[in-house]
Amino acid sequence: MKLEPVGFVRSNPPGGPAEVVIYEEFSEALDGIDGCGHIWVLFWMHRLGEGDRRTLKVHPMGDRNRPKQGVFSLRSPVRPNPIGLTRVRLLRRDGNVLVVQGLDALEGSPVLDIKPWIEGTEG
Amino acid sequence: MKLEPVGFVRSNPPGGPAEVVIYEEFSEALDGIDGCGHIWVLFWMHRLGEGDRRTLKVHPMGDRNRPKQGVFSLRSPVRPNPIGLTRVRLLRRDGNVLVVQGLDALEGSPVLDIKPWIEGTEG
């Protein structure tokens, strides 16, 4: 189960919009995406260390006043497989670049997959 | 970017409910999940071959009457990184087993991550 990056988050200024660059060799896989109002971006949370992958319980929102909870019940980036999942609005595709709004990912994050968001299915 | 399975889909009979087994060593990461009505299950589409990872355009729904489209614009399992994403209803947690409804994953699929689904955020 080895992942291959298909692109990366080039920029994500506060307030957006953000730019997701898809590597040229995968650009063709974007054909037809213009019809999508929203898309899922799956990415690798690259700043996390090996220790974060072994941590199974954390304080919700980092708030030490709240008891620790299992990471599968939280959106914390700390988890065994640091895959980030963020739904964004697709503003436009410029060749191999997606311009999106609402990207919850750090600049430089490797992108793993793009999936269409289909209303009603929540998938 | 190497993935480690945290569990697997033990059963998924037609009509459900399905059972997702989390390996004992990760069971603690489920603490607090009982409060979640719906969860995301991220899994590895293990039946796909290397060729499927190099295929960038396919006929939507396998329908040859429809022109090929990029896999990032489709929910097709064929894609560079075969990560499946499915939102399910959490019926109950029995220790290290999650009993869920609506799981779109084959039996035996390695599970990579569980995330809470939070209404309104679509994330």
Side-chain angles (χ1 to χ4, degrees), chain B residues 41-110:
Chain B
V41 178
L42 281 75
F43 61 99
W44 190 254
M45 296 186 281
H46 65 306
R47 298 275 188 86
L48 297 178
E50 279 303 308
D52 295 312
R53 298 186 65 167
R54 287 190 299 268
T55 302
L56 299 182
K57 295 183 85 166
V58 297
H59 296 287
M61 314 292 286
D63 180 352
R64 287 174 183 278
N65 294 319
R66 296 173 65 182
K68 284 189 177 182
Q69 231 175 277
V71 294
F72 292 156
S73 76
L74 298 169
R75 300 289 302 191
S76 166
V78 171
R79 51 211 317 116
N81 292 302
I83 301 172
L85 173 65
T86 173
R87 192 188 72 140
V88 297
R89 190 151 66 89
L90 178 62
L91 302 179
R92 64 179 184 278
R93 171 191 176 187
D94 291 338
N96 67 323
V97 178
L98 299 176
V99 182
V100 302
Q101 188 74 40
L103 184 70
D104 186 16
L106 295 177
E107 287 182 7
S109 301

Side-chain angles (χ1 to χ4, degrees), chain A residues 36-53:
Chain A
C36 302
H38 288 85
I39 54 174
W40 292 109
V41 178
L42 281 77
F43 61 99
W44 190 254
M45 295 187 281
H46 65 307
R47 297 275 188 87
L48 297 178
E50 280 302 309
D52 295 312
R53 297 186 66 167

